[in-house]
């Protein structure tokens, strides 16, 4: 008995019940398709995040007030008011390996132009924003150091905000109203698209941080939400991080053994944290899909058991003319393998198309990797063997006389 | 040439064979357990058959004929006793070894034909060769040859349900002889056939017995059919009660020639 002959007999048997074979395969098709689609979404998200982090520049560091225990993924604002713009200024002045630094002060507010109005996230920074965020101005100019020093009422709009407030108009030089104050639009940022969490990054506006502190938040004691710092090179980030630590501990008069009232993280920390997040997401999606693959496997087992019972007499005949039990076992295993492998193959194609459709419709990137194809295909094979083994064993264990007598 | 073996009684030992003994069953018991009840299908039956013999087994229903055939055909194993096939004690063989014997050394023909449904005549005949590991080309060649032997060359593509009972039984005979076994066992091969078709089947058996020196054992209820064999063995209550040669053996070819041919039959 060669494997080709076994395959031929298996194909013949499956061909006799085409609809049933197709329905059985459907379970595996859906399972493998779901695994491929889900994992490719997860891996696509991961690739996008990596790319975004790289575009931000790997030599950027963030300083946050308050202590955030290391390893936590949160990038949220610190609770305490322990970071000031003087701290940021001191870092820039005293640490030579820092290329640029800016305080970040966040707020949100209504912006009005004519009869258009829009609720906007505001980011207050200094003139280094384009360099730090690797984000250029598309129209007009960015605000200047002078604007920051004088807390000028100028604003640079994100693309979305510009389109909302000035449909069909050139926003540069126009005056918008923010909390009844007049702000001059000096520039519009280049379009950036969605963020890693699906947020529209262009739905934002940038102002001098001093303006946000004084005009929008009305702070008496100015405070900043965080500081953005860039090192002169990626290699320098470690040194910069240590020097920021020393400088701030000294400025905040933190004695040896006392905990920091700030924290510094570099982009590789951020990358690691988001990597971890997307890996968890990928695993979660993948395992939900894998469950449907197992359900498909149970479908195969069910049909194979029915098939063994239905073909008891045929098994008896085959045994009577000299088929060894091991051959009967192989034949039924071959049938469940053909079902699961064909299902797996179709599932890969469908899952791949599904992933492509998702990225097409939702604008969400997907990545069908060779790994996910190999793994789900291997998984389908294992399912075929695992769930096909018991029915095949049952067939092989039949007694020829009893099988022949079976009605 | 008909060899006769003296009449055997259940518990008596078998006399040593004076020819080329191919089958030697010695005081074989087969007990089936159905719940609490024990059914004794065979109670110490002994039988010896020489190579080239044509034996008919007769006896009332339930006397153990099929059980005996299944043991001789290695489809079943005795509860007690020994069975020597061509000098080998096969009562101790495992499942795979028994399968190999059924594949190469014994051909089995059943009352209900037992062809694989929705599979052509040719492929049904090929089956034993498939399990013997014969190449596809050689399988087809030998299966065609076997079908020709039973006169069914023109029906090789037919499915079993496109064949008459007689034709199906001939396909089954072709299948039983395709792997060149030394023994063909047929359990009531004519039980489901009409008279003419029965004689046609007996003609094939007589021809195979005469031309190829195949050892043939058939079970039959009909006295007429038993007269085509060279020796008749009578079963009762799981033992052999009588064992005697056929006095005036019939020739199936001759009988067929004198029969009016029927319209509704095979060809
Ligand atoms: N698988 C079985 N289980 C239980 N009893 C059986 C089985 N096979 C045969 N028998 C019993 O054994 C006896 C002999 O059966 P069998 O050899 O088929 O008789 P025959 O072929 O002479 O009619 C019968 O009483 C029958 O009911
Ligand atoms: Mg019987």
């Amino acid at each position: 008995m060669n494997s080709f002959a076994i395959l031929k007999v298996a194909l013949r048997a499956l061909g006799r019940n085409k609809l049933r074979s197709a329905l059985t395969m459907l379970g595996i098709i859906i399972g493998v398709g779901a695994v491929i689609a889900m994992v490719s979404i997860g891996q696509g998200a991961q690739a996008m995040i990596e790319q975004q982090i790289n575009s931000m520049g790997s030599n950027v560091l963030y300083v946050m007030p308050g202590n955030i225990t290391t390893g936590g993924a949160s990038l949220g604002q610190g609770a305490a008011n322990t970071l000031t713009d003087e701290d940021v200024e001191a870092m820039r002045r005293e640490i030579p390996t820092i290329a640029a630094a800016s305080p970040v002060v966040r707020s949100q507010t209504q912006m009005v132009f004519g009869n258009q109005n829009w609720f906007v996230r505001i980011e207050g920074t200094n003139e280094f924003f384009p360099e730090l965020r690797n984000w250029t101005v598309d129209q007009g100019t960015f605000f200047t150091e002078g604007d920051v020093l004088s807390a000028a009422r100028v604003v640079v709009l994100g693309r979305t905000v510009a389109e909302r407030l000035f449909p069909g108009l050139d926003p540069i030089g126009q005056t918008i109203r923010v909390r009844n104050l007049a702000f001059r639009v000096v520039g519009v940022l280049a379009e950036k698209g969605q963020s890693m969490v699906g947020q529209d990054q262009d739905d934002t506006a940038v102002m001098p941080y001093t303006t946000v502190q004084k005009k929008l938040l009305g702070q008496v004691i100015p405070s900043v939400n965080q500081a953005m710092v860039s090192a002169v090179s990626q290699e320098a980030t470690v040194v910069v991080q240590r020097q920021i630590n020393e400088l701030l501990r000294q400025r905040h008069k933190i004695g040896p053994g006392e905990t920091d009232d700030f924290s510094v993280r570099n982009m590789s920390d951020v990358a690691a944290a988001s990597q971890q997040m997307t890996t968890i997401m990928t695993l979660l999606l993948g395992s939900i899909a894998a469950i449907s693959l197992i359900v498909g496997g149970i479908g195969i087992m069910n049909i194979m058991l029915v098939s063994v019972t239905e073909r008891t007499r045929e098994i008896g005949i085959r045994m009577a003319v000299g088929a060894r039990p091991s051959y009967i076992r192989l034949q039924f295993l071959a049938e469940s393998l053909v079902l699961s492998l064909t299902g797996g193959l179709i599932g890969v194609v469908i899952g791949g198309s599904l992933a492509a459709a998702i990225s097409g419709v939702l604008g969400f990137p997907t990545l069908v990797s060779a790994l996910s194809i190999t793994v789900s295909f291997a998984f389908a094979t294992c399912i075929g063997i695992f769930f096909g083994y018991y029915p095949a064993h049952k067939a092989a264990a039949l007694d020829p006389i009893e099988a022949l007598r079976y009605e | 040439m008909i060899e006769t073996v003296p009449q055997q009684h259940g518990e008596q030992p078998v006399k040593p064979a004076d020819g080329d003994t191919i089958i030697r069953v010695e005081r074989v018991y087969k007990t089936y357990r159905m719940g609490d009840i024990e059914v004794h299908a065979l109670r110490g039956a002994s039988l010896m058959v020489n190579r080239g013999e044509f034996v008919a087994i007769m006896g009332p229903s339930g006397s153990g004929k099929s059980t005996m055939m299944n043991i001789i055909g290695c489809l079943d194993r005795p509860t007690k006793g020994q069975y020597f096939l061509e000098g080998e004690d096969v009562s101790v063989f495992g499942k795979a070894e028994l399968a190999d014997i059924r594949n190469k050394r014994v051909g089995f023909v059943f009352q209900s034909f037992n062809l694989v449904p929705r599979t052509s005549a040719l492929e049904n005949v090929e089956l034993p060769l498939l399990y013997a590991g014969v190449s596809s080309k050689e399988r087809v060649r030998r299966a065609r040859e076997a079908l020709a032997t039973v006169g069914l060359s023109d029906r090789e593509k037919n499915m079993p349900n496109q064949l008459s009972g007689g034709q199906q039984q001939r396909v089954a005979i072709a299948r039983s002889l395709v792997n060149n076994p030394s023994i063909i066992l047929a359990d009531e091969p004519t039980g489901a056939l009409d008279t003419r078709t029965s004689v046609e089947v007996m003609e094939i058996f007589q021809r195979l017995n005469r031309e190829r020196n195949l050892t043939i054992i058939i079970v039959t209820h009909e006295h007429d059919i038993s007269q085509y064999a060279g020796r008749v063995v009578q079963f009762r209550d799981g033992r052999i009660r009588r064992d005697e040669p056929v006095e005036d053996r019939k020739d199936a070819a001759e009988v067929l020639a004198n029969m009016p041919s029927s319209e509704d039959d095979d060809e």
Side-chain angles (χ1 to χ4, degrees):
Chain A
M1 270 326 293
N2 59 33
S3 44
F4 182 69
I6 292 174
L7 193 67
K8 226 172 109 183
V9 176
L11 286 175
R12 169 81 59 88
L14 293 172
R16 281 195 199 134
N17 264 310
K18 288 194 184 65
L19 179 63
R20 191 160 86 182
S21 302
L23 288 175
T24 311
M25 242 178 325
L26 199 58
I28 296 293
I29 293 174
I30 291 172
V32 170
V35 169
I36 298 273
M38 293 296 127
V39 171
S40 67
I41 289 170
Q43 292 192 326
Q46 202 154 331
M48 180 172 72
I49 288 169
E50 257 165 49
Q51 187 214 328
Q52 276 177 357
I53 286 168
N54 287 343
S55 78
M56 274 182 220
S58 49
N59 48 355
V60 172
L61 297 104
Y62 288 90
V63 185
M64 272 153 292
N67 182 275
I68 296 164
T69 43
T70 48
S74 167
L75 298 177
Q77 305 162 6
N81 245 352
T82 50
L83 195 67
T84 63
D85 30 350
E86 284 86 21
D87 285 334
V88 182
E89 193 45 44
M91 286 185 239
R92 190 147 65 98
R93 213 174 40 235
E94 290 175 29
I95 302 170
T97 39
I98 285 182
S102 170
V104 177
V105 184
R106 292 199 182 85
S107 180
Q108 45 195 16
T109 186
Q110 197 84 12
M111 287 186 171
V112 184
F113 177 76
N115 53 5
Q116 308 284 341
N117 70 84
W118 193 242
F119 198 77
V120 190
R121 283 194 319 266
I122 308 278
E123 200 166 342
T125 68
N126 65 13
E127 68 279 11
F128 294 113
F129 175 89
E131 181 188 337
L132 286 163
R133 290 286 300 272
N134 197 13
W135 200 351
T136 55
V137 170
D138 208 27
Q139 277 173 276
T141 54
F142 204 77
F143 52 77
T144 62
E145 189 182 0
D147 292 330
V148 176
L149 290 173
S150 63
R153 293 195 301 241
V154 289
V155 61
V156 176
L157 301 178
R159 173 61 59 195
T160 304
V161 179
E163 277 164 10
R164 289 292 171 168
L165 292 179
F166 303 97
L169 290 176
D170 179 11
I172 307 300
Q174 301 281 8
T175 304
I176 57 173
R177 297 200 74 81
V178 180
R179 298 200 181 155
N180 268 331
L181 295 170
F183 277 70
R184 189 163 46 86
V185 179
V186 294
V188 177
L189 291 167
E191 191 168 338
K192 204 150 198 181
Q194 286 191 343
S195 76
M196 47 183 127
V197 287
Q199 199 178 35
D200 179 7
Q201 297 183 96
D202 300 314
D203 192 4
T204 190
V206 190
M207 293 179 188
Y209 74 93
T210 47
T211 311
V212 178
Q213 284 173 331
K214 289 173 188 152
K215 306 274 159 55
L216 293 189
L217 298 173
Q219 287 177 342
V220 185
I221 307 158
S223 71
V224 301
N225 294 116
Q226 68 181 49
M228 234 187 316
V229 177
S230 72
V232 289
S233 68
Q234 199 189 338
E235 295 72 44
T237 50
V238 184
V239 183
V240 169
Q241 189 164 3
R242 205 188 58 232
Q243 287 176 331
I244 290 173
N245 254 303
E246 285 165 6
L247 180 70
L248 289 184
R249 283 182 73 91
Q250 185 196 329
R251 283 179 63 85
H252 295 185
K253 302 186 172 59
I254 299 165
E258 286 179 314
T259 5
D260 296 343
D261 60 355
F262 61 90
S263 61
V264 186
R265 32 185 71 240
N266 58 40
M267 280 318 284
S268 50
D269 291 342
V270 177
S274 52
Q275 191 92 36
Q276 196 184 357
M277 194 180 74
T278 50
T279 304
I280 290 170
M281 180 176 97
T282 306
L283 282 178
L284 202 70
L285 289 175
S287 47
I288 290 168
I291 288 171
S292 70
L293 195 49
I294 288 172
V295 172
I298 294 170
I300 287 192
M301 175 132 118
N302 185 29
I303 284 305
M304 292 310 294
L305 283 173
V306 170
S307 176
V308 167
T309 309
E310 274 181 359
R311 280 149 68 194
T312 299
R313 214 180 148 88
E314 180 193 322
I315 294 165
I317 296 171
R318 289 177 181 276
M319 286 178 158
V321 301
R324 289 184 177 192
S326 59
Y327 174 77
I328 299 289
R329 185 182 300 123
L330 268 181
Q331 189 197 317
F332 279 90
L333 263 182
E335 280 179 35
S336 63
L337 261 180
V338 166
L339 282 178
S340 62
L341 285 184
T342 316
L345 211 63
I346 300 172
V348 165
V349 173
I350 287 182
S353 328
L354 206 66
I358 287 171
S359 53
V361 172
L362 302 178
F364 198 92
T366 56
L367 197 80
V368 181
S369 68
L371 184 73
S372 68
I373 291 176
T374 315
V375 166
S376 59
F377 211 64
F379 202 38
T381 312
C382 291
I383 284 207
I385 294 173
F386 183 81
F387 288 103
Y389 190 82
Y390 175 66
H393 178 75
K394 229 184 130 186
L398 283 173
D399 179 64
I401 302 276
E402 266 156 39
L404 281 171
R405 212 176 274 150
Y406 186 84
E407 292 301 326
Chain B
M1 170 69 203
I2 303 153
E3 301 224 33
T4 58
V5 171
Q7 183 178 327
Q8 301 288 325
H9 283 285
E11 305 288 352
Q12 287 173 359
V14 185
K15 275 195 178 178
D18 45 357
D20 175 10
T21 308
I22 189 162
I23 291 166
R24 185 151 63 95
V25 177
E26 279 194 20
R27 277 161 305 193
V28 151
Y29 291 78
K30 182 74 190 182
T31 310
Y32 293 107
R33 191 162 277 117
M34 298 180 72
D36 296 338
I37 314 154
E38 284 195 343
V39 182
H40 300 280
L42 290 177
R43 308 162 185 254
S46 298
L47 178 70
M48 225 153 81
V49 178
N50 287 336
R51 190 178 296 278
E53 267 197 284
F54 192 146
V55 181
I57 294 178
M58 298 194 71
S61 176
S63 58
K65 305 182 297 291
S66 293
T67 307
M68 184 63 143
M69 289 292 265
N70 291 341
I71 287 172
I72 295 174
C74 290
L75 278 165
D76 209 352
R77 276 180 289 197
T79 312
K80 208 174 105 184
Q82 281 179 307
Y83 168 32
F84 296 91
L85 176 66
E86 294 176 312
E88 243 180 318
D89 185 2
V90 298
S91 42
V92 296
F93 277 22
K95 279 186 169 188
E97 288 168 303
L98 291 178
D100 289 350
I101 292 179
R102 294 195 297 270
N103 185 235
K104 297 191 179 70
R105 291 157 68 180
V106 188
F108 219 111
V109 177
F110 304 88
Q111 178 178 0
S112 51
F113 321 134
N114 277 335
L115 299 180
V116 179
R118 285 178 290 184
T119 301
S120 72
L122 189 72
E123 282 172 306
N124 262 290
V125 178
E126 276 184 51
L127 266 191
L129 301 173
L130 184 74
Y131 299 123
V134 175
S135 76
S136 158
K137 222 170 144 185
E138 178 71 1
R139 282 206 302 271
V140 173
R141 192 188 66 75
R142 280 165 64 179
R144 287 210 168 112
E145 200 178 276
L147 278 173
T149 307
V150 298
L152 276 181
S153 290
D154 53 341
R155 294 289 196 279
E156 60 179 45
K157 293 215 161 54
N158 289 42
M159 300 293 155
N161 60 355
Q162 297 166 328
L163 294 168
S164 71
Q167 289 171 330
Q168 287 187 59
Q169 195 60 299
R170 277 148 67 189
V171 172
I173 294 170
R175 184 179 65 189
S176 75
L177 61 88
V178 75
N179 217 1
N180 292 323
S182 39
I183 303 165
I184 288 185
L185 303 170
D187 193 350
E188 301 193 35
T190 61
L193 305 178
D194 60 47
T195 313
R196 188 192 164 82
T197 318
S198 299
V199 180
E200 282 170 356
V201 164
M202 294 316 290
E203 188 275 325
I204 296 171
F205 282 138
Q206 280 194 331
R207 182 151 42 89
L208 291 171
N209 176 239
R210 195 173 52 241
E211 291 174 2
R212 302 192 187 181
N213 200 33
L214 275 176
T215 308
I216 295 179
I217 305 178
I218 63 163
V219 171
T220 182
H221 276 300
E222 297 157 87
H223 180 261
D224 265 10
I225 295 294
S226 73
Q227 297 307 296
Y228 291 102
R231 169 183 165 198
V232 175
V233 173
Q234 285 282 350
F235 263 73
R236 177 167 294 186
D237 297 332
R239 283 174 215 166
I240 290 164
R241 286 301 175 199
R242 232 169 16 168
D243 185 346
E244 50 199 17
V246 175
E247 293 299 336
D248 187 16
R249 194 179 180 186
K250 291 205 277 184
D251 180 16
E254 210 169 279
V255 174
L256 270 182
N258 297 328
M259 256 185 178
S261 66
S262 56
E263 315 282 294
D264 60 348
D265 201 32
D266 312 349
E267 272 82 23

